[in-house]
Amino acid sequence: MNWDETGPDTDERPHLDDPLDDRLVDAGADGEDTAVEAALRPKDLDEFVGQEKVREQLDLVLKAARARGATADHVLLSGAPGLGKTTLSMIIAAEMNAPIRITSGPAIQHAGDLAAILSSLQEGEVLFLDEIHRMSRPAEEMLYMAMEDFRVDVIVGKGPGATAIPLELPPFTLVGATTRAGLLPPPLRDRFGFTGHMEFYSPVELERVIHRSARLLDVEIDVVGAAEIAGRSRGTPRIANRLLRRVRDYAQVKADGRIDRDIAAAALRVYEVDARGLDRLDRAVLGALLKLFGGGPVGLSTLAVAVGEERETVEEVAEPFLVREGLLARTPRGRVATPAAWAHLGLVPPPHGGKGQQGLFGA
Ligand SMILES: Nc1ncnc2c1ncn2[C@@H]1O[C@H](COP(=O)(O)OP(=O)(O)OP(=O)(O)O)[C@@H](O)[C@H]1O
Ligand SMILES: [Mg+2]
């Protein structure tokens, strides 16, 4: 076997205690985020960084509606966690000078819950429905009619005596957000006048997010310091803001509070977020795949046992980003490391490209 000089050292095998609770690079919101996010949220389209296409298209939709004195068409925003869907929904309300009501799919389990919300909307109000793919079926069907005809049928009574009482609704704008656009039934998707798909942000865009947040947080940061954080933020503004706050802590405790490249790099070394944004868990998975299994292919369960994690954790928490980064591939025969993975961990691939790996990525 041809490992690097250190060889596969089982004692080095990582012991991860609940990586889900303390992952700095998790794109989902945690308690601290929710508080800070409100303060860091861009308030209008001009302040909203990146997403040029969505911004331009949405700008037209909103301007045209404003010019007609009408309520804007229903908007669906799809994209990975932390890319700005909630932020954009609030901007839509602000740009339309309309109040916003916020609820979410899981909160609406009965059609009655939805009827109560819909019937209390004001004219022109924006109804933000987060995680719209997680609404119950009956509520979803009620929503179809509400979106199209601004009407709901409220069922009164039970059994054979039940009657449907039609209820007129004021015109409103539904803004739906989903991380899983593919899970939306087509009839629902078709009722949105505009669908914006949010992409991951480029490092340059994330630098702008970081500079903006640093200004709001009153932190001094230079251009290379911001670039250093941006490069590790996995294309996600929420992660960029979170890393910025951790680097700020470090800068305050270990230096004079200013952030430059060295401070940013040193801080993120402490938090174990590497130059590409991989954290402990990601590196553990990749490390096991390379060092214990010669780069694969290896089955998911085996890989999970090797890192001492649940299958689901490896599959749903670590792998998506590794796949996106082109470091790991899911193949019918198992997980396979790409040449970039070897390079990233500074390891030398075995001469024959790992067991059975030939043909997948060349020799
Ligand atoms: N385009 C942007 N410009 C500047 N900051 C942004 C942008 N998009 C998002 N952010 C920042 O990232 C944070 C997370 O954004 P937001 O809550 O809107 O994401 P989300 O898509 O709704 O995530 P989730 O899917 O978890 O609900 C916000 O606090 C905001 O400060
Ligand atoms: Mg959100």
Side-chain angles (χ1 to χ4, degrees):
M1 290 208 175
N2 179 353
W3 317 99
D4 69 330
E5 315 78 73
T6 55
D9 181 354
T10 40
D11 286 331
E12 257 183 25
R13 229 179 280 180
H15 301 283
L16 302 167
D17 27 74
D18 213 352
L20 297 175
D21 275 356
D22 59 357
R23 276 194 106 207
L24 271 190
V25 293
D26 180 30
D30 61 36
E32 188 194 351
D33 290 329
T34 4
V36 183
E37 275 176 2
L40 295 183
R41 277 213 163 95
K43 301 281 186 284
D44 58 37
L45 272 185
D46 288 335
E47 264 188 76
F48 192 81
V49 175
Q51 308 292 345
E52 299 301 334
K53 268 273 148 298
V54 172
R55 233 181 43 208
E56 185 186 353
Q57 294 164 349
L58 197 56
D59 191 40
L60 287 172
V61 170
L62 300 182
K63 277 203 176 110
R66 266 200 317 257
R68 289 194 300 269
T71 303
D73 253 352
H74 304 304
V75 174
L76 178 65
L77 300 172
S78 74
L83 297 187
K85 299 179 295 297
T86 299
T87 305
L88 208 46
S89 74
M90 292 178 173
I91 290 177
I92 291 173
E95 297 269 341
M96 293 306 290
N97 241 322
I100 182 168
R101 182 87 58 96
I102 297 174
T103 184
S104 74
I108 300 177
Q109 279 320 314
H110 307 287
D113 302 339
L114 183 63
I117 294 171
L118 290 170
S119 60
S120 65
L121 289 176
Q122 302 172 37
E123 181 164 348
E125 191 158 355
V126 170
L127 174 61
F128 177 54
L129 231 171
D130 210 356
E131 298 185 78
I132 190 169
H133 60 276
R134 293 180 59 195
M135 220 175 8
S136 74
R137 206 51 223 250
E140 205 171 85
E141 274 161 21
M142 173 178 277
L143 192 60
Y144 294 164
M145 195 195 270
M147 290 172 77
E148 206 156 72
D149 305 327
F150 297 105
R151 192 165 65 85
V152 289
D153 281 338
V154 181
I155 312 288
V156 181
K158 277 202 164 87
T163 40
I165 301 178
L167 185 68
E168 296 290 323
L169 302 174
F172 66 95
T173 299
L174 178 72
V175 179
T178 179
T179 49
R180 313 280 299 274
L183 294 184
L184 280 195
L188 180 55
R189 226 179 315 159
D190 294 346
R191 281 171 169 79
F192 287 96
F194 171 74
T195 299
H197 182 72
M198 321 275 286
E199 307 282 348
F200 286 101
Y201 293 66
S202 71
V204 174
E205 290 167 342
L206 290 174
E207 281 176 45
R208 285 170 52 203
V209 171
I210 290 165
H211 282 298
R212 180 179 172 278
S213 301
R215 254 195 322 276
L216 292 171
L217 295 171
D218 208 10
V219 184
E220 214 178 300
I221 186 167
D222 69 7
V223 175
V224 276
E228 192 64 41
I229 299 174
R232 302 176 189 225
S233 301
R234 299 172 169 238
T236 307
R238 174 177 290 135
I239 298 177
N241 284 339
R242 193 185 295 140
L243 295 185
L244 172 65
R245 299 201 303 274
R246 294 293 76 81
V247 173
R248 172 185 65 169
D249 294 347
Y250 182 94
Q252 263 166 18
V253 174
K254 301 277 188 188
D256 62 359
R258 272 179 294 199
I259 300 173
D260 58 17
R261 185 210 255 124
D262 290 344
I263 291 284
L268 293 171
R269 205 171 307 126
V270 170
Y271 292 111
E272 301 185 274
V273 177
D274 77 12
R276 215 165 162 162
L278 274 64
D279 76 346
R280 210 155 42 107
L281 173 69
D282 304 321
R283 293 173 65 88
V285 170
L286 215 52
L289 177 57
L290 299 180
K291 294 184 200 168
L292 302 176
F293 305 108
V298 60
L300 173 62
S301 306
T302 308
L303 188 57
V305 170
V307 291
E309 282 300 331
E310 300 291 328
R311 257 177 85 96
E312 291 73 24
T313 306
V314 172
E315 186 171 30
E316 288 157 30
V317 182
E319 284 188 350
F321 181 65
L322 296 175
V323 171
R324 213 177 96 207
E325 284 287 286
L327 296 168
L328 178 146
R330 291 167 170 164
T331 77
R333 285 188 301 153
R335 273 46 178 175
V336 176
T338 66
W342 293 96
H344 184 65
L345 289 199
L347 299 173
V348 182
H352 302 302
K355 56 173 169 107
Q357 207 182 318
Q358 302 94 323
L360 274 172
F361 297 101

